[in-house]
């Protein structure tokens, strides 16, 4: 078996995965692209293990570890995506770049909102009142 064929296929798969990570905006598609890149690495590991005729089959053992890590990455990644979707109602990466919480979710209950918008703004001499109103409207 020539090593060139699996190496070319692996390079193509890895390139498609890199393009998917850099160009996509959907979080789930980015996770799928990372999986594609990991599978390209697995293909290389197995191909070189067979080509070198390793008696210990270390490439295949390392491939099993990569598969386990990829499964854990998918589980954790999908859990994060679901949590973000519950909070933000989107999986668009451009909208998820800001680490701050959305304005409606960060305000808390009505009593806490009244304390932060009215009480603290008046205690500071009215300086923070405009920011609290803008925060409620989502324009801050």
């Amino acid at each position: 078996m020539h090593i060139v064929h699996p190496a070319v296929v692996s390079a193509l798969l890895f390139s498609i995965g890199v393009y998917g990570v850099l160009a996509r905006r959907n979080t789930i598609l980015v996770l799928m692209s990372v999986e594609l890149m990991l599978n390209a690495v697995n293909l290389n590991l197995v191909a070189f293990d067979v080509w070198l005729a390793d008696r210990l089959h270390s490439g295949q053992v390392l491939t099993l570890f990569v598969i386990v890590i990829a499964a854990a990455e998918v589980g954790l990644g999908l859990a994060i995506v679901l949590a973000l979707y519950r909070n933000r109602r989107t999986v668009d990466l451009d909208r998820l770049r800001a680490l701050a919480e959305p304005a409606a979710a960060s305000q808390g209950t009505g009593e806490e909102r009244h304390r932060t918008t009215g009480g603290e703004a008046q205690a500071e001499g009215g300086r923070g009142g405009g920011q609290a109103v803008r925060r409620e409207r989502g324009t801050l």
Side-chain angles (χ1 to χ4, degrees):
M1 174 175 104
H2 292 285
I3 194 64
V4 175
H5 301 295
V8 168
V9 171
S10 176
L12 287 174
L13 286 174
F14 196 84
S15 300
I16 293 169
V18 167
Y19 172 75
V21 167
L22 295 178
R24 298 293 177 186
R25 293 193 173 144
N26 190 339
T27 311
I28 296 173
L29 290 178
V30 170
L31 287 174
M32 288 173 59
S33 298
V34 170
E35 287 296 316
L36 196 60
M37 291 167 49
L38 288 173
N39 285 329
V41 170
N42 286 340
L43 180 62
N44 260 342
L45 286 171
V46 171
F48 278 99
D49 183 51
V50 169
W51 185 60
L52 294 173
D54 186 15
R55 290 188 327 184
L56 296 176
H57 301 291
S58 56
Q60 294 177 20
V61 171
L62 190 56
T63 298
L64 289 175
F65 283 116
V66 171
I67 290 171
V68 168
I69 289 172
E73 176 255 336
V74 165
L76 187 63
L78 287 177
I80 291 171
V81 167
L82 286 174
L84 284 172
Y85 182 76
R86 285 182 187 159
N87 288 334
R88 308 268 177 100
R89 297 288 182 220
T90 185
V91 290
D92 186 15
L93 285 178
D94 288 337
R95 294 185 182 187
L96 297 177
R97 294 208 190 272
L99 294 178
E101 291 185 15
S106 65
Q107 289 298 319
T109 64
E111 182 179 314
E112 292 173 4
R113 188 175 345 162
H114 176 69
R115 258 189 285 132
T116 56
T117 58
E120 291 176 7
Q122 290 175 358
E124 294 180 12
R127 290 190 327 231
Q131 281 186 344
V133 171
R134 284 191 303 250
R135 190 180 311 125
E136 283 186 11
R137 291 182 191 157
T139 59
L140 181 64

